[in-house]
Amino acid sequence: MSQPSDGQPAGEAEASRRVFYFNGGFLWQTRVRRILKLAGHDLTLGRPGRDDLIAVWGRSPYAARGEAVAARTGSGLLRIEDAFLRSLHPGRSGEPPMGLVIDRRGIYFDSRHASDLEHLLATHPLDDTALLDRARSGIARLQEAHLSKYSAFEPATPCPDPGYVLVIDQTRGDASVTHGGADANTFREMLYWAQEDHPGAPIIIKTHPETTSGHRPGYFSTKDESTRIRLLSDPVSPWALLDGAIAVYCVTSQIGFEAILAGHRPQVFGQPFYAGWGLSDDRHPLPLSRRGRKLTRAQLFAGAMLLYPTWYDPCRDRLCDLDQAISTLEAETRAWREDHTGWQAHGMRLWKRAPLQRFFGQHRRMVFGGPPQPDRRAMVWASQTDTAPVGAVRVEDGFLRSRGLGADLIPPLSLVCDDLGIYYDPRHESQLERLISARARLRPDQDRRAEALIAALIRHGLSKYNLGQPVPDLPEGRRILVPGQVEDDASIRLGAGTICTNLALLQAARTANPDAVILYKPHPDVEAGLRPGAVPPAAARDLADVILDRTDPARLLGMVDEVWTMTSLLGFEALLRGVRVTTTGAPFYAGWGLTRDLGDTPARRSARPTLRGLVHATLIDYPRYRDPVTGRACPVEVVVERLAHGPLPRPGPANRLLAKLQGMLASYATWWR
């Protein structure tokens, strides 16, 4: 949040003051109005007084109306602008911002006057260890996820061969240029010096996304190209582009700020907010004497990204910190990058198509079946790979699925997409295996996030389906939980090994633990009569001390000493709660040193992640999540809150009727699976 003179956040300090506006943008931009209201600035129409504030948008042409009223009435000005991490697409494409800057002194891109950001960078101690750790983590997260102000690009889009000088173009007449001490001649001068300073090196001019989208022209065009100079309009990742640059030249572009974060010392020809702090070579003829302080990259980031903006969480409809904003934008960006070219789905049952369309069809509607369409990616339900083209992405339910069974046609809140294999098939490498290996070492922020997620799951008693009744009284002794599974499930067929039935698992557990209290928990789908895997009652009573029908597995895990399983997800959920796990097959969580494995696990699982590393890969990195309330792609934490507290939309009457019909026709399960 911006900082007024008393050092308190603007939204808190000015909450009691009325805020008036005089241009229509504040009327129709509902997201902007909502953020301002949550920050304590409830916009209104009317005639302001001397003690009131007038909101204007930066230094746009329309701001003059509010500025004129402020001059006549003596009201204060509140300048509003997009935050530095804005959205997938530019604002002119109609997408609302993820955050705002709310500035009482000026605005960050107007170097003629001090802004709240400049004041903050000049006077704030910026020496708090926790703050700077958050800053370093924030920088790493933006780089890892390839997030920028506008993030609608493919990180894999090729960049020019390394060794070029990067020159950053901007949109002609942009306020950050005109109020940053620059003009068209500044851009010409910048290009001249880029060539003079680096004789013989290729020059890459990166166009602005709004220029590429056709909204506004830039200062450079194809007329500036030569054998040495190339105009790059492809939507490449700024972070990948910066990696290949030997030098960066900019006027006031935000990419200059990102260049500093990436380790460059950019040549700056304007007077942007990041100039004058000892992190850039400032080539503007007029020095910024107000900025004499030397900052580190972490300090600059802390001020510009953590302390100055007001961030918004669109799923929870509340203000949030930068970490939450990054998590939200990560989820939305991933969805766009995977979905914007469109999907062609194969092997999908009719009832799954509507939920899949909601998940994957937000940016371009999915098509189901038919001959291959080269302009679309192919997907297939993981158990139906024989119905799809070679190379189709496999899709399966995620590990925090729903409140209710998939077999009851309850739509999922999470799905996984895997272009290598699928997590339950140990015969082939999967993307989950790669992610687990990559998370053998976690950054502090990743470790904290995984730890907080584990704590939330335990606190709320969450599992995959979140069904079941309270746990009955259990016999005393060393309790071993044996979870039953669906015996024709793909994870059993492909990963169970020699012990591949619930009866065989019970027998193995009892043989190895003759004195233990064996608790048998049948699978919910089997209990509902929808899938095979029932153990004959007499055999179950002979091998198990207690049969826990329809019991909540999450509550049960807190009462047992060990879990014996073939490949059940309950083994993973047990690890989260500190319960010892013995596997007889090769589930995705086996072979990493966290379980006792009696079966054969792939030798390629040689990494040794911590439990938090396993959780980060499995629940944060691998699945995609969809908020059932807003319909938005979201991070895992939102789904955890929905499962814990609701609200969750109830299945419609048609769904409930179909589920009842399915139960009556359980012997014909292949019709709907």
Side-chain angles (χ1 to χ4, degrees), residues 162-478:
Y164 49 82
V165 175
L166 181 61
V167 175
I168 309 299
D169 196 11
Q170 294 178 246
T171 54
R172 190 172 288 272
D174 187 80
S176 72
V177 175
T178 57
H179 295 284
D183 54 24
N185 288 329
T186 310
F187 285 82
R188 296 294 172 193
E189 181 185 5
M190 173 176 63
L191 183 58
Y192 170 82
W193 282 111
Q195 298 173 79
E196 285 293 306
D197 294 342
H198 302 275
I203 307 291
I204 299 296
I205 301 176
K206 179 64 180 76
T207 59
H208 193 278
E210 289 190 358
T211 302
T212 305
S213 302
H215 295 303
R216 292 193 289 177
Y219 288 94
F220 299 112
S221 69
T222 54
K223 296 178 181 179
D224 298 290
E225 292 187 302
S226 68
T227 56
R228 185 181 173 193
I229 301 173
R230 174 188 166 191
L231 203 67
L232 179 64
S233 58
D234 297 340
V236 300
S237 166
W239 301 103
L241 195 60
L242 289 166
D243 278 346
I246 59 173
V248 179
Y249 285 68
C250 61
V251 177
T252 61
S253 170
Q254 185 176 315
I255 293 185
F257 174 54
E258 293 168 348
I260 292 172
L261 304 181
H264 286 280
R265 187 177 180 87
Q267 307 294 310
V268 181
F269 286 75
Q271 295 181 320
F273 72 88
Y274 51 84
W277 308 107
L279 295 166
S280 56
D281 286 335
D282 303 322
R283 302 178 70 162
H284 193 277
L286 299 176
L288 286 166
S289 57
R290 301 188 306 268
R291 304 179 188 178
R293 187 181 184 187
K294 303 299 182 185
L295 300 175
T296 65
R297 286 194 295 271
Q299 288 175 319
L300 178 65
F301 185 92
M305 299 292 285
L306 294 173
L307 301 177
Y308 184 49
T310 299
W311 298 106
Y312 176 71
D313 182 343
C315 292
R316 301 172 174 98
D317 187 32
R318 68 190 187 199
L319 300 185
C320 64
D321 60 17
L322 176 64
D323 293 332
Q324 291 172 300
I326 291 176
S327 295
T328 299
L329 193 58
E330 278 179 333
E332 295 187 352
T333 301
R334 176 183 176 182
W336 181 87
R337 289 172 180 171
E338 293 182 359
D339 301 345
H340 75 280
T341 60
W343 290 96
Q344 183 178 18
H346 305 266
M348 303 298 180
R349 301 293 179 182
L350 286 174
W351 83 270
K352 293 179 179 178
R353 296 185 180 186
L356 289 170
Q357 191 72 256
R358 290 192 289 270
F359 247 97
F360 302 111
Q362 293 295 306
H363 300 283
R364 186 184 181 189
R365 288 190 63 80
M366 298 178 65
V367 297
F368 294 90
Q373 299 186 21
D375 65 330
R376 292 176 176 269
R377 300 178 72 189
M379 78 163 49
V380 62
W381 199 256
S383 60
Q384 305 292 325
T385 53
D386 58 340
T387 65
V390 175
V393 173
R394 294 166 174 83
V395 179
E396 254 293 351
D397 289 332
F399 308 113
L400 288 171
R401 188 194 182 280
S402 52
R403 190 181 294 156
L405 301 175
D408 281 337
L409 311 189
I410 305 298
L413 303 183
S414 67
L415 291 167
V416 302
C417 300
D418 202 310
D419 59 359
L420 287 180
I422 193 65
Y423 69 89
Y424 56 71
D425 185 356
R427 302 172 305 168
H428 309 284
E429 186 183 26
S430 68
Q431 282 291 356
L432 180 54
E433 283 189 3
R434 288 191 178 181
L435 289 166
I436 294 172
S437 296
R439 296 308 186 197
R441 297 185 66 178
L442 296 178
R443 298 192 309 267
D445 64 293
Q446 295 169 327
D447 193 81
R448 290 192 298 271
R449 187 179 181 189
E451 184 179 34
L453 178 57
I454 294 170
L457 295 174
I458 296 172
R459 183 169 63 254
H460 299 303
L462 297 180
S463 60
K464 183 174 183 177
Y465 297 113
N466 303 288
L467 285 174
Q469 300 176 4
V471 181
D473 292 335
L474 300 176
E476 294 297 326
R478 179 170 161 264

Side-chain angles (χ1 to χ4, degrees), residues 454-582:
I454 294 170
L457 295 174
I458 296 172
R459 183 169 63 254
H460 299 303
L462 297 180
S463 60
K464 183 174 183 177
Y465 297 113
N466 303 288
L467 285 174
Q469 300 176 4
V471 181
D473 292 335
L474 300 176
E476 294 297 326
R478 179 170 161 264
R479 299 167 181 159
I480 296 178
L481 174 63
V482 179
Q485 294 184 244
V486 176
E487 292 181 356
D488 67 347
D489 190 76
S491 73
I492 297 295
R493 291 187 289 103
L494 302 174
T498 56
I499 296 176
C500 57
T501 67
N502 293 320
L503 178 59
L505 178 64
L506 271 170
Q507 290 170 335
R510 173 55 73 193
T511 300
N513 303 276
D515 300 324
V517 177
I518 302 293
L519 311 174
Y520 179 58
K521 170 71 178 70
H523 192 278
D525 284 353
V526 176
E527 289 181 310
L530 301 174
R531 304 286 295 276
V535 177
R541 289 192 298 271
D542 184 52
L543 294 166
D545 297 282
V546 181
I547 299 172
L548 296 162
D549 296 321
R550 306 185 186 281
T551 303
D552 184 350
R555 297 184 187 182
L556 189 59
L557 288 172
M559 303 177 182
V560 303
D561 301 286
E562 188 174 353
V563 169
W564 271 60
T565 181
M566 293 181 284
T567 64
S568 172
L569 184 64
L570 205 61
F572 173 69
E573 294 170 346
L575 288 177
L576 303 188
R577 293 158 173 85
V579 178
R580 185 185 185 194
V581 176
T582 296

